[in-house]
Amino acid sequence: MPSRANLATKPLVLKRQKAKVSTRSSNFPASAEVTVCDLPFHIDNTLTYGIPDEFVESAKIGSKVKVPFLQSEKFGYIRSITRKEVSARPIISIKPNFGISENHWGFLQAIAERYATNIDAVIKFVRDSQLIEVAPKKTRFKPRFEF
């Protein structure tokens, strides 16, 4: 049996401390309805967050954002944007042109309803992608036969 003197001693770390970011409610020129990921199962609705001035131009529907929730920071996706002044907690950061496209939200919502789960459980299996606006192709009808 090894003696205690021969065992390597490591400092005991109980909890890593992080500086808390102050995210108090303020007035913002626009607000966003955000679907926050990794919430308790019974919270299945969007939460309203203020969009700070530096993010107003880069905020798009479907963009991935970092938001404060209780005493932590969580990721989420913008579901809708309202351009009126609101008092709310701010969005901490936005990944511009990166997230889930607006067209896919309906499909994800249908999957969640079909399997009787919340949207968060479905989003865990979806990879983020580039958000690019695609203009519809203009195709002309070319008849195969002339009359």
Side-chain angles (χ1 to χ4, degrees):
M1 186 166 167
S3 67
R4 289 187 169 187
N6 293 343
L7 294 177
T9 59
K10 289 173 45 175
L12 180 62
V13 178
L14 298 176
K15 183 178 180 183
R16 292 186 185 222
Q17 298 284 328
K18 284 175 55 176
K20 292 184 180 179
V21 178
S22 174
T23 55
R24 297 183 184 268
S25 293
S26 306
N27 289 332
F28 295 100
S31 67
E33 293 292 322
V34 177
T35 297
V36 182
C37 299
D38 298 326
L39 290 183
F41 189 78
H42 64 280
I43 301 176
D44 190 25
N45 51 358
T46 58
L47 303 174
T48 304
Y49 288 93
I51 303 174
D53 293 330
E54 63 265 18
F55 298 139
V56 170
E57 296 299 320
S58 62
K60 294 180 183 173
I61 295 175
S63 295
K64 189 171 188 174
V65 295
K66 185 186 280 189
V67 294
F69 184 78
L70 297 178
Q71 300 299 325
S72 63
E73 297 174 353
K74 301 215 178 258
F75 285 101
Y77 297 93
I78 296 178
R79 294 294 303 271
S80 66
I81 298 174
T82 306
R83 303 277 182 197
K84 65 177 184 177
E85 191 167 324
V86 67
S87 177
R89 294 179 79 182
I91 290 175
I92 297 170
S93 67
I94 293 181
K95 288 189 172 184
N97 298 325
F98 196 72
I100 299 173
S101 71
E102 191 174 357
N103 295 337
H104 289 113
W105 277 110
F107 178 66
L108 297 176
Q109 190 66 40
I111 291 173
E113 290 173 6
R114 168 69 175 94
Y115 292 102
T117 186
N118 62 7
I119 193 78
D120 182 41
V122 177
I123 290 175
K124 289 179 183 176
F125 297 103
V126 176
R127 293 183 59 178
D128 299 332
S129 61
Q130 290 284 333
L131 295 176
I132 32 180
E133 295 181 21
V134 178
K137 293 181 180 177
K138 292 183 179 181
T139 58
R140 293 182 175 221
F141 175 70
K142 294 181 182 177
R144 296 167 107 184
F145 306 102
E146 292 187 27
F147 295 102

